[in-house]
Amino acid sequence: MLRIFFLLVTTILFVSCQEPLAVDMLVINANVYTVDDTIPRATGFAIKDGKFIAVGNTDEILENYTATDTIDARGKTIVPGLIDAHCHFYGLGMQQQKVDLTGTKSYDEVLDRIVTFQNSKNVSFITGRGWDQNDWKVKEFPTKEKLDSLFPETPVAITRVDGHALLVNQKALDMANITVDTKVNGGEILKKDGQLTGVLVDNPMELIEAIIPEPTQLEQVQALKDAQKINFSYGLTTVDDAGLSPEVISLIDSLQKSNQLKIRMYAMVSNVPDYVEYYLKNGVYKTAKLNVSSFKVYADGALGSRGAALKQPYSDKEGHHGAMVIGQKEFTALAERLAGSPFQMNTHAIGDSANAVVMRTYNEVLKNKSDRRWRVEHAQVVAQEEFDILNDNLVMSVQPTHATSDMYWADERLGEQRIKGAYAYKKLLEKTGKIALGTDYPVEHVSPFYTFYAAVARKDLKQYPEGGFQKEDALSREETLKGMTLWAAYSNFEETEKGSITTGKFADFVILEDDIMEIQEDKIPNINVFATYVGGENVYSLDVN
């Protein structure tokens, strides 16, 4: 017994005399929401070699660790680095070099912006994005006559906010050899009185896209850097880009390796036959900052342009069901092939018909497999019979601001009964256990705080409607934060390396100016990011001057 006593005393003395461990950074006096159920709240943490090595209270951290770089958060709120589970990062960057048509309230305002842009830039092919006829007094697709008058010799191609409709002038139509006799499956070339209107929906857009000059590599690099700057200012440290080419993915990889791009990315490969062959041959590609392990597939178009595939006709367009942009046999064959590979299949599905095809095909080809986490991107309108077959082998990747943007007109498209199965995020969560949240920017705004507000309040930035849109499908603040961090990481098979402030994970975190979990609900959209860190490195700080 005496020997055991002396051993205990020696051990206690040894431990008490140990010097604090030197690390790279300490964060103390913070209000930390870890999103880790084992330690939900903390006041400090230590970072070494780009990872969290201790999480706890400030006194414990100061007692056991030392660092030359210590951040006194002074009570500010810290959350894990935010993850956008569905966006178009490269597209956002490229949009900085095009006409910005978001928020336009009329077709005339669209034209004014194009004229102003061209007077300044004088480009050989005018492109832009962001118009939405549902925001105009006359809620009809525009036609090309005014574009033809303003730009008779310069091709113009401007994309609707959702990316599923394109307005072009006659010059662009001529260059693409599109006439009234042109036929393309999986979409529409709109006509009026037997003449082309200039509007193309879904697959026919590819005819125009084929003649738009490719950006130079210098322009691509600048686009990626511009997008990164915007994302870091909103606390986004990982983004899931929904559809990229191998060339752009390779450029991203090279910029990350040269430390010019510090943001982490889950890159979905666009469903182009050559791209599919390349990656199935070469396999999954994974680094600390880049994850290429999925394919992005389109099942249908968008609800706003009436391209979403519905089981029954649109309530506001008799006999019109929308359209699948991929044949069911082709979709099933691709799903079967990917089921035999390590890749995820992530499919855009808006209408209830498209969601039925996607969910049922997923279940069929994955019936003898587990933990594949195939994603349904948007899952926007779901019929009850599809809710009944959902399971945790499928991940719902949704964008809450779609609900608050579409609520002004979605019931006109869907009718009183179908709208109940639309934007039903709570029900999707209950059926699958997890839900990944994103923005779909630049279709919607980049801000994850708009996402957070739309998810919990079900209101737009005007705080409409007063009681929230279909409030029964609102998420709690805890569920929303998980959807933007841990569950988003899970949807990427990355939950062991990010998504929570947990020992051993990447030290990606965000310091907020306000407490997102306690602040008055209507003030959530205006939360500012004080600082953003990736791997313990400060990549953004709020300019307080």
Side-chain angles (χ1 to χ4, degrees):
M1 287 294 292
L2 189 61
R3 184 183 178 198
I4 293 173
F5 172 77
F6 279 118
L7 282 172
L8 285 171
V9 170
T10 303
T11 301
I12 292 168
L13 288 173
F14 175 75
V15 171
S16 65
C17 291
Q18 272 188 313
E19 291 293 320
L21 180 66
V23 297
D24 300 322
M25 177 187 289
L26 299 181
V27 176
I28 59 174
N29 299 323
N31 173 36
V32 184
Y33 292 97
T34 66
V35 195
D36 182 334
D37 289 341
T38 60
I39 311 175
R41 303 291 295 274
T43 58
F45 49 80
I47 297 168
K48 186 173 177 61
D49 298 328
K51 294 185 177 182
F52 299 112
I53 68 162
V55 181
N57 67 58
T58 292
D59 290 342
E60 292 172 340
I61 296 299
L62 289 174
E63 181 179 348
N64 293 296
Y65 301 94
T66 183
T68 54
D69 187 3
T70 298
I71 298 173
D72 186 342
R74 302 188 180 191
K76 282 188 169 61
T77 293
I78 294 180
V79 296
L82 300 176
I83 301 172
D84 192 316
H86 182 112
C87 66
H88 300 277
F89 179 86
Y90 176 64
L92 175 71
M94 290 304 301
Q95 184 164 300
Q96 308 310 304
Q97 303 170 41
K98 301 178 181 181
V99 191
D100 182 8
L101 302 173
T102 54
T104 46
K105 298 303 180 185
S106 68
Y107 185 31
D108 285 338
E109 186 180 351
V110 167
L111 296 170
D112 288 343
R113 289 200 194 180
I114 297 173
V115 170
T116 300
F117 173 87
Q118 185 63 354
N119 287 340
S120 171
K121 303 291 187 180
N122 192 29
V123 298
S124 61
F125 199 124
I126 301 170
T127 58
R129 180 168 175 162
W131 60 270
D132 184 352
Q133 83 282 4
N134 293 308
D135 291 339
W136 305 344
K137 186 175 181 179
V138 179
K139 302 181 188 299
E140 297 176 356
F141 276 130
T143 56
K144 66 182 179 64
E145 288 79 15
K146 290 182 179 180
L147 277 181
D148 293 340
S149 176
L150 290 167
F151 305 102
E153 298 300 326
T154 304
V156 181
I158 53 172
T159 308
R160 190 181 184 276
V161 65
D162 58 13
H164 289 271
L166 190 65
L167 173 65
V168 301
N169 64 351
Q170 188 61 44
K171 181 66 175 180
L173 290 169
D174 292 342
M175 290 173 63
N177 296 315
I178 297 173
T179 70
V180 291
D181 297 319
T182 302
K183 301 281 193 259
V184 179
N185 292 326
E188 288 185 276
I189 299 174
L190 300 189
K191 303 180 186 71
K192 185 176 183 180
D193 299 327
Q195 299 298 312
L196 297 174
T197 67
V199 174
L200 297 84
V201 178
D202 290 320
N203 286 358
M205 295 165 56
E206 296 173 4
L207 300 175
I208 296 293
E209 291 163 357
I211 65 167
I212 297 175
E214 290 292 325
T216 65
Q217 187 172 90
L218 187 63
E219 289 171 335
Q220 291 178 308
V221 169
Q222 188 59 51
L224 291 165
K225 290 181 176 179
D226 288 347
Q228 174 176 258
K229 183 177 180 180
I230 294 168
N231 278 260
F232 281 160
S233 73
Y234 287 105
L236 291 160
T237 57
T238 294
V239 291
D240 295 9
D241 196 312
L244 291 171
S245 69
E247 292 77 16
V248 172
I249 292 171
S250 179
L251 179 60
I252 290 166
D253 188 33
S254 67
L255 291 173
Q256 287 176 329
K257 287 178 176 175
S258 63
N259 212 32
Q260 295 180 69
L261 270 188
K262 300 178 181 182
I263 198 163
R264 304 188 199 276
M265 187 173 297
Y266 169 91
M268 306 181 205
V269 182
S270 295
N271 177 33
V272 174
D274 288 348
Y275 301 173
V276 174
E277 294 303 325
Y278 175 83
Y279 278 102
L280 287 182
K281 177 182 177 181
N282 290 281
V284 167
Y285 182 77
K286 182 80 167 69
T287 70
K289 289 187 176 175
L290 181 61
N291 181 352
V292 188
S293 59
S294 65
F295 292 99
K296 167 67 183 302
V297 182
Y298 282 93
D300 65 345
L303 194 64
S305 52
R306 296 188 185 87
L310 300 179
K311 294 183 178 185
Q312 300 299 322
Y314 278 75
S315 297
D316 60 354
K317 191 172 183 181
E318 187 176 351
H320 182 73
H321 290 76
M324 295 288 287
V325 298
I326 186 172
Q328 187 162 349
K329 288 184 178 179
E330 181 186 353
F331 182 76
T332 301
L334 179 61
E336 289 174 343
R337 192 174 183 198
L338 296 184
S341 80
F343 285 86
Q344 288 171 277
M345 189 173 189
N346 303 342
T347 306
H348 163 116
I350 300 288
D352 55 6
S353 180
N355 273 290
V357 170
V358 172
M359 293 173 183
R360 291 182 182 278
T361 302
Y362 278 10
N363 280 342
E364 179 61 27
V365 302
L366 299 177
K367 60 186 176 183
N368 296 319
K369 302 178 185 297
S370 60
D371 199 30
R372 291 304 304 269
R373 307 185 197 178
W374 281 18
R375 296 171 41 157
V376 182
E377 305 296 332
H378 311 305
Q380 202 158 302
V381 186
V382 180
Q384 184 57 52
E385 52 265 34
E386 274 65 62
F387 278 114
D388 293 340
I389 66 167
L390 286 177
N391 57 70
D392 59 8
N393 213 18
L394 278 56
V395 174
M396 302 297 110
S397 170
V398 303
Q399 302 75 45
T401 48
H402 282 340
T404 53
S405 291
D406 298 357
M407 64 184 175
Y408 291 94
W409 49 262
D411 60 337
E412 297 174 7
R413 299 279 196 277
L414 300 172
E416 186 177 342
Q417 290 305 310
R418 276 186 301 200
I419 194 69
K420 295 176 182 178
Y423 317 96
Y425 308 138
K426 188 73 166 187
K427 190 180 293 185
L428 291 171
L429 172 60
E430 290 170 348
K431 291 290 186 178
T432 59
K434 298 177 179 67
I435 195 166
L437 303 181
T439 61
D440 201 15
Y441 72 65
V443 177
E444 302 284 355
H445 196 280
V446 179
S447 175
F449 308 111
Y450 293 4
T451 300
F452 199 102
Y453 181 62
V456 302
R458 303 280 288 199
K459 298 178 183 179
D460 65 11
L461 298 181
K462 300 174 186 175
Q463 299 176 31
Y464 176 86
E466 184 176 347
F469 169 65
Q470 298 187 171
K471 190 64 184 289
E472 66 274 12
D473 276 306
L475 303 176
S476 70
R477 296 197 195 201
E478 290 75 15
E479 291 165 346
T480 301
L481 185 58
K482 282 186 175 181
M484 298 166 66
T485 55
L486 188 61
W487 291 343
Y490 173 89
S491 76
N492 302 346
F493 281 92
E494 295 180 328
E495 74 277 13
T496 61
E497 59 190 63
K498 64 178 71 163
S500 64
I501 296 175
T502 301
T503 299
K505 291 190 179 184
F506 291 130
D508 301 346
F509 63 96
V510 187
I511 305 177
L512 303 177
E513 285 281 83
D514 298 288
D515 186 342
I516 195 168
M517 306 303 282
E518 297 291 342
I519 192 173
Q520 186 176 317
E521 190 177 75
D522 61 8
K523 293 184 178 181
I524 291 172
N526 300 318
I527 290 175
N528 285 319
V529 169
F530 184 77
T532 304
Y533 288 80
V534 176
E537 178 185 356
N538 179 214
V539 293
Y540 168 80
S541 293
L542 180 67
D543 184 0
V544 294
N545 295 323

